[in-house]
């Protein structure tokens, strides 16, 4: 979720030797299906989620990193030998761990994502899942266990309005797959 820049807390970056950032450069597995790339360009450090432009991240006094365009923080995990093994994205009250993956795995995943986007291939079972979710919302009985904690909280709060909306629309008569977005999510109308 992108936070308007005016709502991002002001933070101060601390100086860091740019070459020290090279230990963090690499690829990290996001939610098991996408790769976030972390790279350095001179003295600037970036995190790039799939299908999005790079987001500059800045070192803080705790040894973590933060973004100025979104309210997010990144901390890196290391093994006993000090080798970076993953990162944790802290955003929206959630801590999302992302294990580090090698170059070959990252390349393979990027190629698969690009093929899915170009071929406009729906994920297996996505239509059935969407139909089930819509039916559960209309009935007022969504399965919160299948949702992230943030989505579950919003759904609980908005459920009466969602039910009214779905009831006023009547029965679902057509659900059509139209493509895949830049992050690999299926698009239906």
């Amino acid at each position: 979720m992108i936070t308007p820049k005016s709502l991002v807390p002001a933070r101060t970056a601390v100086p860091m030797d740019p070459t020290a950032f090279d230990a963090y450069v690499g690829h990290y597995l996001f939610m098991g299906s996408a790769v976030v790339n972390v790279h350095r360009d001179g003295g600037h450090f970036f995190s790039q989620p799939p299908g999005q432009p790079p987001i500059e991240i800045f070192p803080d006094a705790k040894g973590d990193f933060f973004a100025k365009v979104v309210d997010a923080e990144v901390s890196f995990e290391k093994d006993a030998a000090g080798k970076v093994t993953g990162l944790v994205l802290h955003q929206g009250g959630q801590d999302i761990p992302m294990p580090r993956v090698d170059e070959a795995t990252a390349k393979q995943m990027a190629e698969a994502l690009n093929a899915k986007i170009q071929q406009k291939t729906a994920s297996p079972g996505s239509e059935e899942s969407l139909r089930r979710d819509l039916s559960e919302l209309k009935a007022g009985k969504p399965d919160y266990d299948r949702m992230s904690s943030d989505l579950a909280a919003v759904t609980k709060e908005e459920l009466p309005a969602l039910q009214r909306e779905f009831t006023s629309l009547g029965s679902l008569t057509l659900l059509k797959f139209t493509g895949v977005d830049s992050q690999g999510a299926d698009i239906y109308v």
Side-chain angles (χ1 to χ4, degrees):
M1 180 168 94
I2 302 288
T3 305
K5 191 172 183 177
S6 62
L7 299 178
V8 176
R11 299 182 61 183
T12 303
V14 298
M16 178 180 185
D17 175 2
T19 60
F21 189 77
D22 292 345
Y24 306 115
V25 169
H27 312 285
Y28 299 86
L29 187 59
F30 178 71
M31 307 289 267
S33 62
V35 175
V36 171
N37 296 305
V38 173
H39 65 278
R40 174 171 76 92
D41 185 2
H44 299 275
F45 316 126
F46 297 92
S47 172
Q48 185 170 8
Q52 295 184 24
I55 298 169
E56 188 167 8
I57 56 176
F58 302 87
D60 70 13
K62 300 182 303 183
D64 293 327
F65 296 82
F66 64 93
K68 292 183 179 179
V69 296
V70 295
D71 188 9
E73 186 174 298
V74 174
S75 56
F76 289 89
E77 298 177 322
K78 298 178 181 179
D79 63 15
K83 181 181 176 191
V84 176
T85 59
L87 69 77
V88 179
L89 172 64
H90 310 279
Q91 186 175 17
Q94 291 190 306
D95 297 324
I96 303 168
M98 298 184 210
R100 192 173 201 163
V101 295
D102 61 38
E103 182 76 29
T105 301
K107 183 179 178 186
Q108 181 182 28
M109 293 183 73
E111 288 171 354
L113 174 60
N114 288 335
K116 180 179 182 195
I117 291 168
Q118 290 192 0
Q119 296 168 3
K120 297 181 180 180
T121 305
S123 297
S126 65
E127 181 176 342
E128 293 80 14
S129 293
L130 181 55
R131 287 180 180 277
R132 180 192 60 229
D133 292 344
L134 293 172
S135 175
E136 289 175 357
L137 285 169
K138 184 177 180 181
K141 298 178 182 179
D143 184 349
Y144 296 110
D145 292 335
R146 288 195 317 266
M147 300 178 191
S148 69
S149 58
D150 287 346
L151 180 58
V154 170
T155 302
K156 286 176 185 176
E157 185 177 311
E158 298 294 326
L159 188 58
L162 289 168
Q163 267 190 284
R164 283 191 301 276
E165 181 70 21
F166 283 118
T167 300
S168 73
L169 292 172
S171 297
L172 178 64
T173 57
L174 177 66
L175 187 60
K176 182 180 177 186
F177 172 76
T178 60
V180 179
D181 73 11
S182 64
Q183 295 178 328
D186 294 349
I187 302 169
Y188 285 91
V189 293

